[in-house]
């Protein structure tokens, strides 16, 4: 099992969503993918995408403008 | 990804316009649909196809307020300030996520575009209206941009 972290801070639509999908595509089953970002809409839309992909969100953290979403592949 | 839960819902976009802002819209929707787990095909035709020429992706004018290039310059400046991805990056992401590009053969004929003038590495298939209809037949989202 590997932990993968991707940093999309400062990036806007559709980059956080796309980078999230690219990381999930590369990850193996059981890997944890963490997305770091500041784009407000992506904070709502990454969980939507995970639901559509049938993947589990295992944590969401927020601090000021920044958010961190952890997904299990 | 090969999750069994992954849907095979499909989005098909006709990219008819070669305007910079419309190519942005098409590629953003295409990438978004791929990111949400859909299959996506983009059918490039007429002025849209011109943007698949080598060096042609960012060449289009703005659909509104182009103002001889001044509007485009302003928009590009603002997009850079807002850190909006380039069309080249969006296209590379689209291909990496498995998005399909279809090129219209009739446009190539009437506009005299030769295959060697195009970014053939992006193009999955050349076809005409039947190819589009076949792709769109079972699509959940179809757009004409």
């Amino acid at each position: 099992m590997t932990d993968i972290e991707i940093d999309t801070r400062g990036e806007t639509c559709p980059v956080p969503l796309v980078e999230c999908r690219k990381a999930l595509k590369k990850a193996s089953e059981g890997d944890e993918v963490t997305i770091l970002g500041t784009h407000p809409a992506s904070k709502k839309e990454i969980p939507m995408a995970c639901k559509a992909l049938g993947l589990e969100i295992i944590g969401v953290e927020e601090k000021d403008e920044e958010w961190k979403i952890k997904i299990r592949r | 990804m090969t999750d069994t839960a992954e849907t095979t819902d499909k989005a098909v976009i006709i990219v008819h316009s070669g305007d910079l802002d419309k190519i942005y819209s098409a590629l953003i929707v295409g990438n978004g649909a791929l990111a949400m787990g859909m299959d996506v095909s983009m059918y490039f035709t007429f002025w849209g196809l011109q943007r698949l020429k080598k060096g042609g992706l960012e060449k289009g004018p703005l659909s509104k307020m182009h103002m001889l290039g001044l509007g485009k310059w302003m928009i590009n400046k603002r997009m850079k300030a807002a850190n909006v991805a380039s069309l080249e990056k969006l296209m590379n992401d689209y291909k990496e996520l498995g998005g399909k590009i279809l090129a219209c053969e009739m446009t190539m004929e009437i506009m005299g575009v030769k295959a060697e003038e195009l970014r053939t590495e992006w193009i999955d298939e050349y076809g005409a209206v039947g190819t589009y209809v076949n792709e769109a037949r079972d699509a959940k989202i179809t757009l004409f941009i």
Side-chain angles (χ1 to χ4, degrees):
Chain A
M1 199 193 84
T2 329
D3 283 346
I4 302 151
E5 189 168 295
I6 47 172
D7 189 350
T8 70
R9 284 177 297 180
E11 301 281 1
T12 188
C13 172
V15 176
L17 199 57
V18 166
E19 293 302 324
C20 173
R21 178 69 165 130
K22 276 160 70 177
L24 288 169
K25 237 182 138 128
K26 282 182 202 139
S28 313
E29 204 149 328
D31 287 353
E32 286 179 9
V33 175
T34 304
I35 329 280
L36 209 61
T38 49
H39 182 241
S42 300
K43 189 184 74 197
K44 290 183 284 174
E45 292 176 0
I46 287 171
M48 282 180 188
C50 290
K51 198 178 167 201
L53 295 166
L55 298 175
E56 185 195 355
I57 304 261
I58 48 179
V60 181
E61 280 173 45
E62 260 181 277
K63 201 180 153 206
D64 304 321
E65 309 280 280
E66 282 185 29
W67 45 258
K68 197 193 255 190
I69 300 170
K70 198 177 262 195
I71 306 153
R72 182 171 293 122
R73 164 75 168 86
Chain B
M1 215 186 295
T2 51
D3 317 56
T4 44
E6 189 170 350
T7 65
T8 48
D9 287 344
K10 202 198 289 181
V12 179
I13 304 171
I14 296 186
V15 187
H16 179 272
S17 170
D19 296 337
L20 179 101
D21 44 305
K22 293 191 178 176
I23 298 279
Y24 258 106
S25 296
L27 276 170
I28 289 171
V29 174
N31 271 305
L34 289 168
M36 308 286 282
M38 297 180 87
D39 286 339
V40 184
S41 293
M42 290 172 81
Y43 187 84
F44 282 73
T45 185
F46 283 88
W47 290 273
L49 187 82
Q50 304 281 332
R51 300 279 80 79
L52 292 187
K53 282 185 180 168
K54 288 169 184 152
L57 197 56
E58 318 259 351
K59 287 272 168 70
L62 284 186
S63 58
K64 297 263 192 312
M65 304 197 347
H66 183 64
M67 303 182 293
L68 301 168
L70 185 67
K72 186 178 168 181
W73 176 78
M74 273 165 52
I75 290 285
N76 273 331
K77 220 175 124 190
R78 288 190 176 206
M79 290 208 293
K80 213 165 181 185
N83 209 15
V84 175
S86 68
L87 287 174
E88 188 79 22
K89 176 184 162 40
L90 290 175
M91 183 61 100
N92 289 332
D93 287 345
Y94 177 76
K95 295 304 298 178
E96 187 178 337
L97 290 178
K100 263 170 79 178
I101 301 275
L102 313 171
C104 174
E105 280 180 336
M106 189 191 80
T107 304
M108 291 170 70
E109 244 167 71
I110 61 174
M111 292 195 166
V113 180
K114 295 189 182 73
E116 58 264 30
E117 291 175 68
L118 298 172
R119 296 283 293 264
T120 47
E121 73 275 22
W122 287 338
I123 300 169
D124 298 279
E125 213 177 311
Y126 297 82
V129 65
T131 308
Y132 159 71
V133 172
N134 219 28
E135 286 288 322
R137 193 188 287 278
D138 55 353
K140 287 263 172 77
I141 297 174
T142 55
L143 293 170
F144 184 94
I145 297 180

